[in-house]
Amino acid sequence: MALANLIVAILPLIAASSASPASSSKTCRLLPTDAAWPSRHEWSQLNDTVGGRLIATVPRASACHVPTFNADLCTELRDTWQSDATHVYYAAEVIDPFFQGNTCLPFTPATTPCKIGILASYSINASSVSDIQAGIRFATEHNVRLVIKNTGHDLLGKSTGKGSLALWTHNMNSIKFIDSYYGDSSYTGTAVRLGAGVMSQDILPLAQSKGLRIISGSCATVGAAGGYTAGGGHGALTSMYGLGADSVLEWEVVTARGEHLVATPKRNSDLYWALSGGGAGTFAVVVSMTTRTYEDGPLQWASFSLTIDDPGFKGNPDALWSAIDTFHHSLGPITDAGAVATYLMGPTSLDVFSIVMPGGDPAIVRTTLGPLASALESQNVTLNVTSRQFDTFWELHSTIFGAAVASTLDGQSAAGRLISRSTVENAERFIAVSDSFRTALDAGFQVSCTAVNASSKVQPAHPNAVFPLWREGLISCLVYKTWNFSEPWDVNVAAQTQLTNEIMPVVIAATPGDGAYLNEANFEEPDWQTSFYGANYPRLSQIKDLYDAHGLLYARTAVGSERWAEDGDHRLCRVQ
C-alpha cells in the first residue's frame, strides 16, 4: 500500500472549527476541533521522528463521495465492504460497522460529505520499538487519545476512537522459529517468536513447512499475537492444547511509560500474567510474542446437520430441539476426547459444520460420536456424518474454516455467552438455555457456538489471567445479527439495542453465574468486569495501575476502562 499520499503533510477530512473549552483540560482527551490540538508542525515533527510513517486518516469509503469520487473503486468497496480484506490491510479501518460509524460509508449518496467521524485521526505504521515509544510520548505530551490497532477484528471497538492516534502494529510481522527454547520456563521444546502483526495465514503455512502447528482461531486474518491471544484465544486445537494464552512463553512490550520490557513467568511476571488472558489494549503495547509450537500431523474432521425435514422429527420443531438438547448434553465427552465442535443453530436446524479431532485414526470419529448417535437413535433420529482426514492443521484450517469465513459476511451486532459444563449437562437447567436460544432465533438473530475443553492441558502451564470460567466452560456462543447496509443506519442500531435490552437478558438469566469470552462479546455488556474477567479483575486492576497509572491506554471494556467515558461528541473523559 502506498503511504506517501497519506502522510501528515495532508490533513483532509479533519475538521478545524471553533475551539472547545475542554481543550485545556487534562480530564478529557483532545479532539481536532480544540484549540490545543497539536499543530500541523507538531504532527510533522512526529512524522519525521517515525521516519515518515505517520498516516493521516482518509477513509477508504471517501472514494464513494465527492470531491474524491471514484466510480470503479466505489463499486468494488460496495461489493466487498463486508469482507475482512477490505479493512484489515488499512491503517484506520475497522471491520465492525458500529465502530466504523455512519459518517463515511460507500452506501450513502455521493454528495453526502465524507468525514472521519469516530475513526482514529492519525496512525503510526509502527515498524520498531522506537516508533511505538514516539507515539506514546506524543500522546502523553499532547493529551491525545491513544489506541492500538492491529487487524481491526474487533467487536468491542477497542482499536479506534474519535481524535485518536493509533499505533498500527499490523506490519510488525517478523517470524523466528526456535528449535529449543531456553528461557524462564521449564519448557525446552520448539517455539516461535511472532511480531505483533503476524496473522494466522502468515504463520500457519510456515509452521506446517517445518512440521509444526500453533493454536489459532478460525479466521486466517486475525493477528496471532494480538488481541486473540491476549484475550485467551480459543480455536480448533483448544481441547488438545488449551487456549492460545496457555502456550505463551514471553511477551515483548512497550509500557505506557515508554519502557521496553520482556515479560515472562519470572521477569515482570505480573505483566506476563495479565497479558496472557487479561485482554488487549490496556496493559502495554505488544511488540512480539513467543509461544510454544506443537508437532503437526493428521487430524480428523467431521460434520453433520439436523433439520426439521428429517423424517424422525415429522415437522415438529419441539422434536428437533429435543435432539439439539441431546447434542448439547453429549458435548462434554466429545471435547474430553480432544475434539472441538463449531456449529450454528437456526429455528429449524442444527448445522455442525466442523468437529476437529486429534490423530491419524479415522476410527476416532466413530468412537467420539458414537454415544451421540446412539442417543439420537433412541429419539428416532439418524445421524449422518461426513468425515475426512487432513494431513496437517493448515490443510484443515484453510479448507474448512477458509471456506466458512469466505462465505460469511463481516459486520454484526453481537453478544456472547460462555456457558459452563455444569449448566449444559444439567438437563433441567438447560431447558431455559435452549429456550433462550429459540427466543433469539425467533427474533431474527443467529446463534453460533464452539464447544471446547479449555482446562489447560498444556504442561507446564504457567499461571495466567485467562477468565477462570474457561476452565469450567463447555460452549462459547455468539448471538448476532449481520449488519444490513441496505437498511437505514437507525434500523441496524435498533438491532444492537434489542440485543442488549431484550435478547441477552433472557440468555443471561438462563445461565446464572456464567459469563462471556471477552473477545466475542457485547460492548454494552452491563456487568463486564464480572462477565469477562471474574475473580481476576481486582488483581488485573492493580497491575493496570502499576504499569499505566494515568490511563493512557484505554480500550472499551478493557481493564481500567470504567474510569473513562465518552461524551455525546465521542470525546474521552475521566469519570469524576
Side-chain angles (χ1 to χ4, degrees):
M1 180 179 67
L3 301 180
N5 63 332
L6 298 179
I7 61 173
V8 68
I10 59 171
L11 302 176
L13 309 176
I14 298 180
S17 60
S18 58
S20 164
S23 62
S24 62
S25 172
K26 289 290 186 180
T27 62
C28 295
R29 301 299 184 207
L30 294 175
L31 293 180
T33 52
D34 295 328
W37 179 255
S39 66
R40 285 174 178 261
H41 176 66
E42 288 167 323
W43 285 110
S44 182
Q45 286 182 316
L46 175 60
N47 187 47
D48 291 341
T49 301
V50 297
R53 287 184 291 274
L54 182 67
I55 305 170
T57 296
V58 179
R60 293 205 72 202
S62 62
C64 296
H65 299 268
V66 295
T68 54
F69 183 81
N70 180 317
D72 291 341
L73 179 55
C74 184
T75 298
E76 178 186 339
L77 289 172
R78 287 171 180 162
D79 291 343
T80 62
W81 194 251
Q82 289 180 276
S83 169
D84 55 358
T86 300
H87 308 282
V88 163
Y89 303 101
Y90 300 87
E93 302 291 334
V94 294
I95 294 173
D96 190 273
F98 195 92
F99 298 105
Q100 293 169 352
N102 65 342
T103 58
C104 190
L105 293 170
F107 307 101
T108 51
T111 54
T112 303
C114 173
K115 300 178 181 179
I116 289 176
I118 59 177
L119 298 179
S121 293
Y122 294 90
S123 302
I124 295 175
N125 181 17
S127 63
S128 65
V129 168
S130 62
D131 288 344
I132 295 171
Q133 291 170 325
I136 288 172
R137 185 165 56 249
F138 186 90
T140 301
E141 292 174 355
H142 294 280
N143 193 28
V144 171
R145 182 173 178 175
L146 189 69
V147 299
I148 305 168
K149 158 75 191 303
N150 189 356
T151 65
H153 283 279
D154 179 11
L155 290 176
L156 293 95
K158 295 181 177 184
S159 55
T160 193
K162 186 173 182 179
S164 62
L165 170 63
L167 299 174
W168 187 35
T169 61
H170 176 66
N171 292 309
M172 301 182 73
N173 47 23
S174 62
I175 298 175
K176 180 181 179 181
F177 286 93
I178 302 168
D179 292 334
S180 297
Y181 175 79
Y182 293 101
D184 295 336
S185 170
S186 58
Y187 176 74
T188 57
T190 59
V192 64
R193 182 171 295 115
L194 304 175
V198 173
M199 297 182 291
S200 294
Q201 67 185 22
D202 303 322
I203 177 58
L204 291 180
L206 279 178
Q208 174 188 264
S209 70
K210 295 179 177 293
L212 300 170
R213 60 172 71 140
I214 70 165
I215 299 170
S216 167
S218 59
C219 182
T221 57
V222 166
Y228 167 76
T229 301
H234 72 76
L237 302 178
T238 290
S239 294
M240 289 180 249
Y241 307 128
L243 297 167
D246 294 326
S247 286
V248 176
L249 300 167
E250 298 180 3
W251 294 98
E252 180 190 8
V253 302
V254 177
T255 70
R257 295 191 294 266
E259 299 169 298
H260 180 204
L261 302 176
V262 174
T264 74
K266 294 182 180 179
R267 289 177 289 160
N268 305 301
S269 58
D270 49 358
L271 189 57
Y272 168 87
W273 181 85
L275 287 166
S276 304
T282 190
F283 299 106
V285 183
V286 172
V287 176
S288 72
M289 174 190 79
T290 303
T291 184
R292 290 179 54 148
T293 58
Y294 298 90
E295 183 179 356
D296 206 2
L299 294 162
Q300 305 302 317
W301 169 84
S303 71
F304 62 85
S305 63
L306 304 176
T307 76
I308 199 168
D309 296 326
D310 293 344
F313 300 129
K314 300 179 179 179
N316 183 351
D318 289 336
L320 168 68
W321 277 88
S322 177
I324 293 175
D325 288 350
T326 297
F327 163 73
H328 278 110
H329 300 326
S330 302
L331 285 172
I334 289 173
T335 62
D336 288 346
V340 170
T342 307
Y343 56 98
L344 179 70
M345 289 175 278
T348 59
S349 64
L350 168 70
D351 179 15
V352 184
F353 69 86
S354 175
I355 304 178
V356 178
M357 291 161 275
D361 184 0
I364 193 175
V365 176
R366 183 176 61 255
T367 57
T368 300
L369 300 182
L372 169 62
S374 297
L376 289 175
E377 187 176 354
S378 69
Q379 296 175 252
N380 298 315
V381 178
T382 300
L383 190 65
N384 295 310
V385 176
T386 298
S387 63
R388 175 181 170 182
Q389 178 170 303
F390 290 89
D391 292 333
T392 68
F393 177 53
W394 174 239
E395 182 190 7
L396 184 152
H397 191 286
S398 57
T399 302
I400 302 302
F401 296 112
V405 170
S407 63
T408 302
L409 292 177
D410 285 327
Q412 294 93 18
S413 296
R417 196 67 177 166
L418 178 58
I419 303 175
S420 64
R421 184 165 180 164
S422 61
T423 297
V424 176
E425 293 185 340
N426 185 310
E428 184 175 349
R429 288 178 62 190
F430 196 74
I431 292 172
V433 181
S434 187
D435 287 346
S436 74
F437 291 158
R438 296 179 74 173
T439 296
L441 294 166
D442 289 343
F445 290 84
Q446 294 180 285
V447 182
S448 65
C449 304
T450 300
V452 302
N453 181 340
S455 57
S456 191
K457 295 182 178 181
V458 177
Q459 296 296 331
H462 300 290
N464 59 34
V466 163
F467 183 24
L469 181 60
W470 271 114
R471 309 311 184 191
E472 307 165 17
L474 181 56
I475 58 175
S476 180
C477 295
L478 197 66
V479 182
Y480 65 96
K481 181 178 287 187
T482 300
W483 204 275
N484 185 352
F485 283 100
S486 66
E487 295 279 1
W489 180 264
D490 290 347
V491 171
N492 288 285
V493 172
Q496 170 66 36
T497 301
Q498 181 187 18
L499 179 65
T500 301
N501 296 338
E502 299 176 24
I503 303 302
M504 288 311 295
V506 178
V507 178
I508 292 170
T511 55
D514 291 339
Y517 173 35
L518 64 86
N519 282 341
E520 298 173 0
N522 188 355
F523 67 90
E524 296 182 311
E525 182 84 21
D527 185 21
W528 55 266
Q529 292 96 330
T530 300
S531 296
F532 297 174
Y533 304 94
N536 288 340
Y537 197 81
R539 185 182 175 194
L540 287 167
S541 185
Q542 292 173 353
I543 295 170
K544 169 69 172 176
D545 289 343
L546 180 62
Y547 287 94
D548 186 16
H550 301 292
L552 178 67
L553 299 175
Y554 167 86
R556 187 176 281 100
T557 72
V559 172
S561 62
E562 69 273 16
R563 302 166 195 172
W564 297 83
E566 290 185 350
D567 65 14
D569 195 30
H570 300 284
R571 181 192 299 276
L572 187 64
C573 296
R574 289 186 183 275
V575 175
Q576 302 299 311

